[in-house]
Amino acid sequence: MTINERRIVLKLDEHIKRKGWQQKEFAELANLRPATVSQLVNNKYDRIQLTHLLAVMDALEITDFNDILTIVDDE
Protein backbone atom coordinates (compact mmCIF):
# COMPACT_ATOMS: atom_id res chain seq x y z
CA MET A 1 0.00 0.00 0.00
CA THR A 2 1.36 3.42 -0.94
CA ILE A 3 0.69 6.82 0.53
CA ASN A 4 -1.51 7.63 -2.50
CA GLU A 5 -3.91 4.88 -1.46
CA ARG A 6 -4.50 6.37 1.99
CA ARG A 7 -5.73 9.72 3.23
CA ILE A 8 -6.36 11.52 6.48
CA VAL A 9 -10.02 12.28 7.15
CA LEU A 10 -11.29 14.89 9.56
CA LYS A 11 -14.33 13.58 11.44
CA LEU A 12 -15.77 17.06 11.91
CA ASP A 13 -19.17 16.35 10.36
CA GLU A 14 -20.03 13.66 12.92
CA HIS A 15 -18.97 15.90 15.82
CA ILE A 16 -21.02 18.85 14.57
CA LYS A 17 -24.08 16.63 14.08
CA ARG A 18 -23.65 15.04 17.51
CA LYS A 19 -23.66 18.49 19.11
CA GLY A 20 -26.72 19.51 17.07
CA TRP A 21 -24.93 22.48 15.50
CA GLN A 22 -25.12 23.94 12.02
CA GLN A 23 -21.86 24.55 10.15
CA LYS A 24 -22.32 28.32 10.36
CA GLU A 25 -22.85 28.10 14.11
CA PHE A 26 -19.71 25.98 14.49
CA ALA A 27 -17.72 28.41 12.32
CA GLU A 28 -18.57 31.19 14.76
CA LEU A 29 -17.64 29.07 17.77
CA ALA A 30 -14.32 28.07 16.21
CA ASN A 31 -13.67 31.56 14.82
CA LEU A 32 -13.27 30.14 11.30
CA ARG A 33 -14.80 31.24 8.00
CA PRO A 34 -17.92 29.25 7.07
CA ALA A 35 -16.23 28.31 3.78
CA THR A 36 -13.29 26.86 5.71
CA VAL A 37 -15.62 24.82 7.92
CA SER A 38 -17.45 23.56 4.83
CA GLN A 39 -14.18 22.39 3.27
CA LEU A 40 -13.17 20.66 6.50
CA VAL A 41 -16.58 19.00 6.96
CA ASN A 42 -16.51 17.72 3.37
CA ASN A 43 -12.83 16.74 3.55
CA LYS A 44 -12.10 18.92 0.50
CA TYR A 45 -8.56 20.02 1.25
CA ASP A 46 -5.01 19.13 0.35
CA ARG A 47 -3.61 20.19 3.68
CA ILE A 48 -5.00 21.42 6.95
CA GLN A 49 -3.50 24.42 8.68
CA LEU A 50 -2.54 23.49 12.21
CA THR A 51 -4.20 26.67 13.49
CA HIS A 52 -7.49 25.51 11.93
CA LEU A 53 -7.12 22.05 13.42
CA LEU A 54 -6.46 23.53 16.86
CA ALA A 55 -9.44 25.89 16.50
CA VAL A 56 -11.66 22.90 15.65
CA MET A 57 -10.33 20.88 18.56
CA ASP A 58 -10.72 23.79 20.99
CA ALA A 59 -14.31 24.48 19.89
CA LEU A 60 -15.16 20.79 20.32
CA GLU A 61 -13.15 20.55 23.56
CA ILE A 62 -11.09 17.70 22.11
CA THR A 63 -7.51 17.12 23.27
CA ASP A 64 -6.70 13.87 21.46
CA PHE A 65 -6.08 14.00 17.69
CA ASN A 66 -7.45 10.46 17.39
CA ASP A 67 -10.89 11.80 18.31
CA ILE A 68 -11.00 14.04 15.22
CA LEU A 69 -8.65 12.45 12.65
CA THR A 70 -8.61 9.03 11.04
CA ILE A 71 -6.70 7.38 8.21
CA VAL A 72 -8.75 5.64 5.53
CA ASP A 73 -7.79 3.44 2.62
CA ASP A 74 -8.83 4.70 -0.82
CA GLU A 75 -9.76 1.48 -2.53
Side-chain angles (χ1 to χ4, degrees):
M1 183 172 303
T2 66
I3 195 165
N4 293 334
E5 296 171 346
R6 296 168 21 132
R7 62 189 170 95
I8 296 173
V9 173
L10 189 63
K11 300 181 284 187
L12 182 55
D13 189 43
E14 67 184 63
H15 286 281
I16 289 175
K17 285 179 180 175
R18 189 177 313 133
K19 298 272 190 180
W21 294 331
Q22 298 295 319
Q23 286 185 28
K24 184 177 178 183
E25 189 177 6
F26 179 75
E28 291 174 11
L29 288 169
N31 199 28
L32 295 171
R33 295 179 316 115
T36 299
V37 171
S38 178
Q39 287 179 325
L40 295 173
V41 163
N42 293 303
N43 287 288
K44 301 289 184 191
Y45 49 79
D46 292 324
R47 35 187 180 279
I48 301 173
Q49 290 185 29
L50 291 178
T51 54
H52 291 170
L53 183 58
L54 287 173
V56 165
M57 292 177 69
D58 286 346
L60 294 171
E61 299 179 344
I62 291 174
T63 57
D64 186 344
F65 288 105
N66 292 311
D67 291 338
I68 194 73
L69 298 172
T70 190
I71 298 174
V72 298
D73 295 332
D74 281 338
E75 295 186 60

PDB file of all heavy atoms in Angstrom, residues 40-72:
ATOM      1  N   LEU A  40     -13.606  21.635   5.508  1.00  0.00           N
ATOM      2  CA  LEU A  40     -13.174  20.656   6.501  1.00  0.00           C
ATOM      3  C   LEU A  40     -14.228  19.571   6.707  1.00  0.00           C
ATOM      4  O   LEU A  40     -13.898  18.381   6.788  1.00  0.00           O
ATOM      5  CB  LEU A  40     -12.848  21.352   7.826  1.00  0.00           C
ATOM      6  CG  LEU A  40     -11.663  22.325   7.804  1.00  0.00           C
ATOM      7  CD1 LEU A  40     -11.555  23.060   9.133  1.00  0.00           C
ATOM      8  CD2 LEU A  40     -10.367  21.618   7.464  1.00  0.00           C
ATOM      9  N   VAL A  41     -15.492  19.964   6.778  1.00  0.00           N
ATOM     10  CA  VAL A  41     -16.575  19.002   6.961  1.00  0.00           C
ATOM     11  C   VAL A  41     -16.632  18.019   5.789  1.00  0.00           C
ATOM     12  O   VAL A  41     -16.837  16.822   5.971  1.00  0.00           O
ATOM     13  CB  VAL A  41     -17.931  19.732   7.123  1.00  0.00           C
ATOM     14  CG1 VAL A  41     -19.098  18.797   6.905  1.00  0.00           C
ATOM     15  CG2 VAL A  41     -18.020  20.366   8.505  1.00  0.00           C
ATOM     16  N   ASN A  42     -16.426  18.538   4.582  1.00  0.00           N
ATOM     17  CA  ASN A  42     -16.515  17.717   3.373  1.00  0.00           C
ATOM     18  C   ASN A  42     -15.185  17.087   2.972  1.00  0.00           C
ATOM     19  O   ASN A  42     -15.101  16.439   1.926  1.00  0.00           O
ATOM     20  CB  ASN A  42     -17.078  18.552   2.222  1.00  0.00           C
ATOM     21  CG  ASN A  42     -18.510  18.933   2.478  1.00  0.00           C
ATOM     22  OD1 ASN A  42     -19.362  18.078   2.688  1.00  0.00           O
ATOM     23  ND2 ASN A  42     -18.798  20.223   2.496  1.00  0.00           N
ATOM     24  N   ASN A  43     -14.163  17.282   3.804  1.00  0.00           N
ATOM     25  CA  ASN A  43     -12.827  16.740   3.545  1.00  0.00           C
ATOM     26  C   ASN A  43     -12.337  17.113   2.148  1.00  0.00           C
ATOM     27  O   ASN A  43     -11.793  16.295   1.421  1.00  0.00           O
ATOM     28  CB  ASN A  43     -12.810  15.222   3.773  1.00  0.00           C
ATOM     29  CG  ASN A  43     -12.866  14.896   5.245  1.00  0.00           C
ATOM     30  OD1 ASN A  43     -11.901  15.100   5.973  1.00  0.00           O
ATOM     31  ND2 ASN A  43     -14.018  14.437   5.706  1.00  0.00           N
ATOM     32  N   LYS A  44     -12.527  18.382   1.796  1.00  0.00           N
ATOM     33  CA  LYS A  44     -12.097  18.917   0.503  1.00  0.00           C
ATOM     34  C   LYS A  44     -10.895  19.833   0.720  1.00  0.00           C
ATOM     35  O   LYS A  44     -11.005  21.051   0.655  1.00  0.00           O
ATOM     36  CB  LYS A  44     -13.239  19.698  -0.168  1.00  0.00           C
ATOM     37  CG  LYS A  44     -14.480  18.884  -0.416  1.00  0.00           C
ATOM     38  CD  LYS A  44     -14.241  17.885  -1.529  1.00  0.00           C
ATOM     39  CE  LYS A  44     -15.533  17.144  -1.823  1.00  0.00           C
ATOM     40  NZ  LYS A  44     -15.344  16.022  -2.679  1.00  0.00           N
ATOM     41  N   TYR A  45      -9.771  19.250   1.018  1.00  0.00           N
ATOM     42  CA  TYR A  45      -8.560  20.025   1.255  1.00  0.00           C
ATOM     43  C   TYR A  45      -7.362  19.170   0.904  1.00  0.00           C
ATOM     44  O   TYR A  45      -7.435  17.939   0.890  1.00  0.00           O
ATOM     45  CB  TYR A  45      -8.476  20.476   2.717  1.00  0.00           C
ATOM     46  CG  TYR A  45      -8.709  19.344   3.690  1.00  0.00           C
ATOM     47  CD1 TYR A  45      -7.697  18.435   3.982  1.00  0.00           C
ATOM     48  CD2 TYR A  45      -9.944  19.154   4.292  1.00  0.00           C
ATOM     49  CE1 TYR A  45      -7.910  17.375   4.837  1.00  0.00           C
ATOM     50  CE2 TYR A  45     -10.164  18.093   5.149  1.00  0.00           C
ATOM     51  CZ  TYR A  45      -9.147  17.209   5.418  1.00  0.00           C
ATOM     52  OH  TYR A  45      -9.362  16.159   6.256  1.00  0.00           O
ATOM     53  N   ASP A  46      -6.263  19.836   0.586  1.00  0.00           N
ATOM     54  CA  ASP A  46      -5.007  19.134   0.349  1.00  0.00           C
ATOM     55  C   ASP A  46      -4.163  19.089   1.613  1.00  0.00           C
ATOM     56  O   ASP A  46      -3.432  18.149   1.846  1.00  0.00           O
ATOM     57  CB  ASP A  46      -4.210  19.803  -0.773  1.00  0.00           C
ATOM     58  CG  ASP A  46      -4.871  19.652  -2.120  1.00  0.00           C
ATOM     59  OD1 ASP A  46      -5.474  18.587  -2.369  1.00  0.00           O
ATOM     60  OD2 ASP A  46      -4.804  20.600  -2.917  1.00  0.00           O
ATOM     61  N   ARG A  47      -4.303  20.129   2.398  1.00  0.00           N
ATOM     62  CA  ARG A  47      -3.607  20.187   3.684  1.00  0.00           C
ATOM     63  C   ARG A  47      -4.455  21.001   4.661  1.00  0.00           C
ATOM     64  O   ARG A  47      -5.225  21.856   4.259  1.00  0.00           O
ATOM     65  CB  ARG A  47      -2.209  20.764   3.573  1.00  0.00           C
ATOM     66  CG  ARG A  47      -2.009  21.831   2.600  1.00  0.00           C
ATOM     67  CD  ARG A  47      -0.530  22.188   2.474  1.00  0.00           C
ATOM     68  NE  ARG A  47      -0.299  23.222   1.522  1.00  0.00           N
ATOM     69  CZ  ARG A  47      -0.236  23.069   0.211  1.00  0.00           C
ATOM     70  NH1 ARG A  47      -0.361  21.952  -0.308  1.00  0.00           N
ATOM     71  NH2 ARG A  47      -0.042  24.039  -0.600  1.00  0.00           N
ATOM     72  N   ILE A  48      -4.268  20.723   5.909  1.00  0.00           N
ATOM     73  CA  ILE A  48      -5.000  21.424   6.955  1.00  0.00           C
ATOM     74  C   ILE A  48      -4.004  22.288   7.716  1.00  0.00           C
ATOM     75  O   ILE A  48      -2.966  21.802   8.159  1.00  0.00           O
ATOM     76  CB  ILE A  48      -5.656  20.443   7.943  1.00  0.00           C
ATOM     77  CG1 ILE A  48      -6.610  19.507   7.234  1.00  0.00           C
ATOM     78  CG2 ILE A  48      -6.368  21.193   9.057  1.00  0.00           C
ATOM     79  CD1 ILE A  48      -7.161  18.412   8.118  1.00  0.00           C
ATOM     80  N   GLN A  49      -4.345  23.557   7.866  1.00  0.00           N
ATOM     81  CA  GLN A  49      -3.499  24.417   8.675  1.00  0.00           C
ATOM     82  C   GLN A  49      -3.629  23.977  10.135  1.00  0.00           C
ATOM     83  O   GLN A  49      -4.732  23.707  10.618  1.00  0.00           O
ATOM     84  CB  GLN A  49      -3.929  25.873   8.549  1.00  0.00           C
ATOM     85  CG  GLN A  49      -3.642  26.471   7.204  1.00  0.00           C
ATOM     86  CD  GLN A  49      -3.976  27.953   7.175  1.00  0.00           C
ATOM     87  OE1 GLN A  49      -3.911  28.648   8.193  1.00  0.00           O
ATOM     88  NE2 GLN A  49      -4.345  28.434   6.012  1.00  0.00           N
ATOM     89  N   LEU A  50      -2.513  23.912  10.812  1.00  0.00           N
ATOM     90  CA  LEU A  50      -2.542  23.494  12.214  1.00  0.00           C
ATOM     91  C   LEU A  50      -3.380  24.437  13.064  1.00  0.00           C
ATOM     92  O   LEU A  50      -4.056  23.996  13.999  1.00  0.00           O
ATOM     93  CB  LEU A  50      -1.124  23.394  12.769  1.00  0.00           C
ATOM     94  CG  LEU A  50      -0.280  22.254  12.187  1.00  0.00           C
ATOM     95  CD1 LEU A  50       1.119  22.278  12.785  1.00  0.00           C
ATOM     96  CD2 LEU A  50      -0.942  20.918  12.429  1.00  0.00           C
ATOM     97  N   THR A  51      -3.379  25.725  12.729  1.00  0.00           N
ATOM     98  CA  THR A  51      -4.200  26.671  13.495  1.00  0.00           C
ATOM     99  C   THR A  51      -5.687  26.348  13.326  1.00  0.00           C
ATOM    100  O   THR A  51      -6.453  26.489  14.274  1.00  0.00           O
ATOM    101  CB  THR A  51      -3.926  28.123  13.069  1.00  0.00           C
ATOM    102  OG1 THR A  51      -4.100  28.239  11.648  1.00  0.00           O
ATOM    103  CG2 THR A  51      -2.521  28.557  13.456  1.00  0.00           C
ATOM    104  N   HIS A  52      -6.085  25.905  12.138  1.00  0.00           N
ATOM    105  CA  HIS A  52      -7.486  25.509  11.927  1.00  0.00           C
ATOM    106  C   HIS A  52      -7.811  24.248  12.715  1.00  0.00           C
ATOM    107  O   HIS A  52      -8.869  24.156  13.337  1.00  0.00           O
ATOM    108  CB  HIS A  52      -7.764  25.268  10.445  1.00  0.00           C
ATOM    109  CG  HIS A  52      -7.735  26.510   9.622  1.00  0.00           C
ATOM    110  ND1 HIS A  52      -7.762  26.481   8.255  1.00  0.00           N
ATOM    111  CD2 HIS A  52      -7.663  27.824   9.964  1.00  0.00           C
ATOM    112  CE1 HIS A  52      -7.723  27.718   7.788  1.00  0.00           C
ATOM    113  NE2 HIS A  52      -7.659  28.542   8.809  1.00  0.00           N
ATOM    114  N   LEU A  53      -6.906  23.289  12.683  1.00  0.00           N
ATOM    115  CA  LEU A  53      -7.119  22.051  13.421  1.00  0.00           C
ATOM    116  C   LEU A  53      -7.245  22.326  14.915  1.00  0.00           C
ATOM    117  O   LEU A  53      -8.129  21.795  15.585  1.00  0.00           O
ATOM    118  CB  LEU A  53      -5.995  21.060  13.135  1.00  0.00           C
ATOM    119  CG  LEU A  53      -6.116  19.688  13.777  1.00  0.00           C
ATOM    120  CD1 LEU A  53      -7.411  18.994  13.366  1.00  0.00           C
ATOM    121  CD2 LEU A  53      -4.911  18.835  13.409  1.00  0.00           C
ATOM    122  N   LEU A  54      -6.388  23.176  15.430  1.00  0.00           N
ATOM    123  CA  LEU A  54      -6.459  23.527  16.858  1.00  0.00           C
ATOM    124  C   LEU A  54      -7.745  24.281  17.179  1.00  0.00           C
ATOM    125  O   LEU A  54      -8.347  24.053  18.237  1.00  0.00           O
ATOM    126  CB  LEU A  54      -5.235  24.345  17.270  1.00  0.00           C
ATOM    127  CG  LEU A  54      -3.939  23.542  17.357  1.00  0.00           C
ATOM    128  CD1 LEU A  54      -2.755  24.477  17.604  1.00  0.00           C
ATOM    129  CD2 LEU A  54      -4.022  22.484  18.436  1.00  0.00           C
ATOM    130  N   ALA A  55      -8.188  25.169  16.279  1.00  0.00           N
ATOM    131  CA  ALA A  55      -9.445  25.889  16.497  1.00  0.00           C
ATOM    132  C   ALA A  55     -10.621  24.922  16.554  1.00  0.00           C
ATOM    133  O   ALA A  55     -11.518  25.055  17.394  1.00  0.00           O
ATOM    134  CB  ALA A  55      -9.653  26.933  15.398  1.00  0.00           C
ATOM    135  N   VAL A  56     -10.616  23.935  15.659  1.00  0.00           N
ATOM    136  CA  VAL A  56     -11.665  22.905  15.651  1.00  0.00           C
ATOM    137  C   VAL A  56     -11.638  22.118  16.953  1.00  0.00           C
ATOM    138  O   VAL A  56     -12.667  21.926  17.600  1.00  0.00           O
ATOM    139  CB  VAL A  56     -11.490  21.960  14.435  1.00  0.00           C
ATOM    140  CG1 VAL A  56     -12.312  20.692  14.588  1.00  0.00           C
ATOM    141  CG2 VAL A  56     -11.850  22.690  13.142  1.00  0.00           C
ATOM    142  N   MET A  57     -10.457  21.680  17.343  1.00  0.00           N
ATOM    143  CA  MET A  57     -10.333  20.881  18.558  1.00  0.00           C
ATOM    144  C   MET A  57     -10.734  21.681  19.797  1.00  0.00           C
ATOM    145  O   MET A  57     -11.415  21.154  20.680  1.00  0.00           O
ATOM    146  CB  MET A  57      -8.916  20.334  18.685  1.00  0.00           C
ATOM    147  CG  MET A  57      -8.595  19.294  17.616  1.00  0.00           C
ATOM    148  SD  MET A  57      -6.903  18.691  17.687  1.00  0.00           S
ATOM    149  CE  MET A  57      -6.935  17.770  19.225  1.00  0.00           C
ATOM    150  N   ASP A  58     -10.348  22.946  19.846  1.00  0.00           N
ATOM    151  CA  ASP A  58     -10.721  23.790  20.987  1.00  0.00           C
ATOM    152  C   ASP A  58     -12.229  23.981  21.058  1.00  0.00           C
ATOM    153  O   ASP A  58     -12.820  23.879  22.133  1.00  0.00           O
ATOM    154  CB  ASP A  58     -10.028  25.150  20.908  1.00  0.00           C
ATOM    155  CG  ASP A  58      -8.547  25.087  21.256  1.00  0.00           C
ATOM    156  OD1 ASP A  58      -8.096  24.055  21.806  1.00  0.00           O
ATOM    157  OD2 ASP A  58      -7.842  26.075  20.969  1.00  0.00           O
ATOM    158  N   ALA A  59     -12.859  24.259  19.919  1.00  0.00           N
ATOM    159  CA  ALA A  59     -14.306  24.481  19.895  1.00  0.00           C
ATOM    160  C   ALA A  59     -15.067  23.223  20.312  1.00  0.00           C
ATOM    161  O   ALA A  59     -16.122  23.306  20.937  1.00  0.00           O
ATOM    162  CB  ALA A  59     -14.750  24.933  18.505  1.00  0.00           C
ATOM    163  N   LEU A  60     -14.517  22.055  19.965  1.00  0.00           N
ATOM    164  CA  LEU A  60     -15.156  20.786  20.323  1.00  0.00           C
ATOM    165  C   LEU A  60     -14.696  20.254  21.679  1.00  0.00           C
ATOM    166  O   LEU A  60     -15.158  19.209  22.133  1.00  0.00           O
ATOM    167  CB  LEU A  60     -14.870  19.730  19.242  1.00  0.00           C
ATOM    168  CG  LEU A  60     -15.485  19.992  17.874  1.00  0.00           C
ATOM    169  CD1 LEU A  60     -14.948  18.995  16.854  1.00  0.00           C
ATOM    170  CD2 LEU A  60     -16.998  19.916  17.952  1.00  0.00           C
ATOM    171  N   GLU A  61     -13.748  20.965  22.285  1.00  0.00           N
ATOM    172  CA  GLU A  61     -13.148  20.548  23.560  1.00  0.00           C
ATOM    173  C   GLU A  61     -12.532  19.161  23.451  1.00  0.00           C
ATOM    174  O   GLU A  61     -12.717  18.298  24.318  1.00  0.00           O
ATOM    175  CB  GLU A  61     -14.176  20.633  24.691  1.00  0.00           C
ATOM    176  CG  GLU A  61     -14.692  22.037  24.903  1.00  0.00           C
ATOM    177  CD  GLU A  61     -15.734  22.145  25.997  1.00  0.00           C
ATOM    178  OE1 GLU A  61     -16.301  21.106  26.411  1.00  0.00           O
ATOM    179  OE2 GLU A  61     -15.980  23.276  26.448  1.00  0.00           O
ATOM    180  N   ILE A  62     -11.787  18.960  22.367  1.00  0.00           N
ATOM    181  CA  ILE A  62     -11.089  17.701  22.109  1.00  0.00           C
ATOM    182  C   ILE A  62      -9.600  17.927  22.341  1.00  0.00           C
ATOM    183  O   ILE A  62      -9.037  18.923  21.880  1.00  0.00           O
ATOM    184  CB  ILE A  62     -11.327  17.237  20.654  1.00  0.00           C
ATOM    185  CG1 ILE A  62     -12.782  16.813  20.465  1.00  0.00           C
ATOM    186  CG2 ILE A  62     -10.371  16.116  20.268  1.00  0.00           C
ATOM    187  CD1 ILE A  62     -13.131  16.475  19.036  1.00  0.00           C
ATOM    188  N   THR A  63      -8.949  16.995  23.032  1.00  0.00           N
ATOM    189  CA  THR A  63      -7.512  17.117  23.273  1.00  0.00           C
ATOM    190  C   THR A  63      -6.702  16.011  22.598  1.00  0.00           C
ATOM    191  O   THR A  63      -5.488  16.081  22.551  1.00  0.00           O
ATOM    192  CB  THR A  63      -7.213  17.101  24.784  1.00  0.00           C
ATOM    193  OG1 THR A  63      -7.736  15.903  25.350  1.00  0.00           O
ATOM    194  CG2 THR A  63      -7.826  18.314  25.474  1.00  0.00           C
ATOM    195  N   ASP A  64      -7.377  14.999  22.089  1.00  0.00           N
ATOM    196  CA  ASP A  64      -6.703  13.869  21.457  1.00  0.00           C
ATOM    197  C   ASP A  64      -6.984  13.878  19.953  1.00  0.00           C
ATOM    198  O   ASP A  64      -8.133  13.814  19.527  1.00  0.00           O
ATOM    199  CB  ASP A  64      -7.207  12.556  22.059  1.00  0.00           C
ATOM    200  CG  ASP A  64      -6.455  11.337  21.568  1.00  0.00           C
ATOM    201  OD1 ASP A  64      -5.738  11.418  20.548  1.00  0.00           O
ATOM    202  OD2 ASP A  64      -6.601  10.279  22.211  1.00  0.00           O
ATOM    203  N   PHE A  65      -5.929  13.969  19.145  1.00  0.00           N
ATOM    204  CA  PHE A  65      -6.078  13.998  17.693  1.00  0.00           C
ATOM    205  C   PHE A  65      -6.853  12.783  17.162  1.00  0.00           C
ATOM    206  O   PHE A  65      -7.532  12.873  16.150  1.00  0.00           O
ATOM    207  CB  PHE A  65      -4.707  14.051  16.997  1.00  0.00           C
ATOM    208  CG  PHE A  65      -4.027  15.378  17.128  1.00  0.00           C
ATOM    209  CD1 PHE A  65      -2.956  15.543  17.990  1.00  0.00           C
ATOM    210  CD2 PHE A  65      -4.447  16.462  16.384  1.00  0.00           C
ATOM    211  CE1 PHE A  65      -2.328  16.765  18.101  1.00  0.00           C
ATOM    212  CE2 PHE A  65      -3.832  17.694  16.488  1.00  0.00           C
ATOM    213  CZ  PHE A  65      -2.756  17.851  17.356  1.00  0.00           C
ATOM    214  N   ASN A  66      -6.754  11.666  17.832  1.00  0.00           N
ATOM    215  CA  ASN A  66      -7.450  10.456  17.386  1.00  0.00           C
ATOM    216  C   ASN A  66      -8.970  10.606  17.438  1.00  0.00           C
ATOM    217  O   ASN A  66      -9.691   9.864  16.777  1.00  0.00           O
ATOM    218  CB  ASN A  66      -7.024   9.241  18.214  1.00  0.00           C
ATOM    219  CG  ASN A  66      -5.593   8.873  17.951  1.00  0.00           C
ATOM    220  OD1 ASN A  66      -5.172   8.751  16.812  1.00  0.00           O
ATOM    221  ND2 ASN A  66      -4.827   8.708  19.015  1.00  0.00           N
ATOM    222  N   ASP A  67      -9.456  11.558  18.219  1.00  0.00           N
ATOM    223  CA  ASP A  67     -10.891  11.798  18.315  1.00  0.00           C
ATOM    224  C   ASP A  67     -11.435  12.560  17.101  1.00  0.00           C
ATOM    225  O   ASP A  67     -12.637  12.581  16.876  1.00  0.00           O
ATOM    226  CB  ASP A  67     -11.248  12.565  19.587  1.00  0.00           C
ATOM    227  CG  ASP A  67     -11.037  11.737  20.833  1.00  0.00           C
ATOM    228  OD1 ASP A  67     -11.030  10.487  20.736  1.00  0.00           O
ATOM    229  OD2 ASP A  67     -10.877  12.334  21.914  1.00  0.00           O
ATOM    230  N   ILE A  68     -10.555  13.201  16.332  1.00  0.00           N
ATOM    231  CA  ILE A  68     -10.995  14.042  15.224  1.00  0.00           C
ATOM    232  C   ILE A  68     -10.408  13.625  13.880  1.00  0.00           C
ATOM    233  O   ILE A  68     -10.947  13.955  12.835  1.00  0.00           O
ATOM    234  CB  ILE A  68     -10.675  15.527  15.529  1.00  0.00           C
ATOM    235  CG1 ILE A  68     -11.412  16.475  14.574  1.00  0.00           C
ATOM    236  CG2 ILE A  68      -9.191  15.818  15.499  1.00  0.00           C
ATOM    237  CD1 ILE A  68     -12.870  16.590  14.833  1.00  0.00           C
ATOM    238  N   LEU A  69      -9.318  12.880  13.891  1.00  0.00           N
ATOM    239  CA  LEU A  69      -8.651  12.450  12.651  1.00  0.00           C
ATOM    240  C   LEU A  69      -8.646  10.940  12.531  1.00  0.00           C
ATOM    241  O   LEU A  69      -8.529  10.233  13.540  1.00  0.00           O
ATOM    242  CB  LEU A  69      -7.199  12.944  12.610  1.00  0.00           C
ATOM    243  CG  LEU A  69      -6.963  14.438  12.619  1.00  0.00           C
ATOM    244  CD1 LEU A  69      -5.479  14.724  12.776  1.00  0.00           C
ATOM    245  CD2 LEU A  69      -7.486  15.075  11.358  1.00  0.00           C
ATOM    246  N   THR A  70      -8.743  10.461  11.306  1.00  0.00           N
ATOM    247  CA  THR A  70      -8.610   9.026  11.043  1.00  0.00           C
ATOM    248  C   THR A  70      -7.934   8.843   9.693  1.00  0.00           C
ATOM    249  O   THR A  70      -7.964   9.746   8.859  1.00  0.00           O
ATOM    250  CB  THR A  70      -9.971   8.312  11.102  1.00  0.00           C
ATOM    251  OG1 THR A  70      -9.761   6.908  11.077  1.00  0.00           O
ATOM    252  CG2 THR A  70     -10.870   8.705   9.943  1.00  0.00           C
ATOM    253  N   ILE A  71      -7.312   7.714   9.490  1.00  0.00           N
ATOM    254  CA  ILE A  71      -6.698   7.376   8.210  1.00  0.00           C
ATOM    255  C   ILE A  71      -7.573   6.334   7.538  1.00  0.00           C
ATOM    256  O   ILE A  71      -7.942   5.336   8.172  1.00  0.00           O
ATOM    257  CB  ILE A  71      -5.261   6.846   8.397  1.00  0.00           C
ATOM    258  CG1 ILE A  71      -4.381   7.928   9.033  1.00  0.00           C
ATOM    259  CG2 ILE A  71      -4.679   6.391   7.054  1.00  0.00           C
ATOM    260  CD1 ILE A  71      -2.995   7.457   9.389  1.00  0.00           C
ATOM    261  N   VAL A  72      -7.928   6.580   6.279  1.00  0.00           N
ATOM    262  CA  VAL A  72      -8.751   5.645   5.533  1.00  0.00           C
ATOM    263  C   VAL A  72      -8.027   5.188   4.279  1.00  0.00           C
ATOM    264  O   VAL A  72      -7.195   5.918   3.728  1.00  0.00           O
ATOM    265  CB  VAL A  72     -10.131   6.243   5.150  1.00  0.00           C
ATOM    266  CG1 VAL A  72     -10.924   6.586   6.390  1.00  0.00           C
ATOM    267  CG2 VAL A  72      -9.970   7.451   4.277  1.00  0.00           C
TER     268      VAL A  72
END
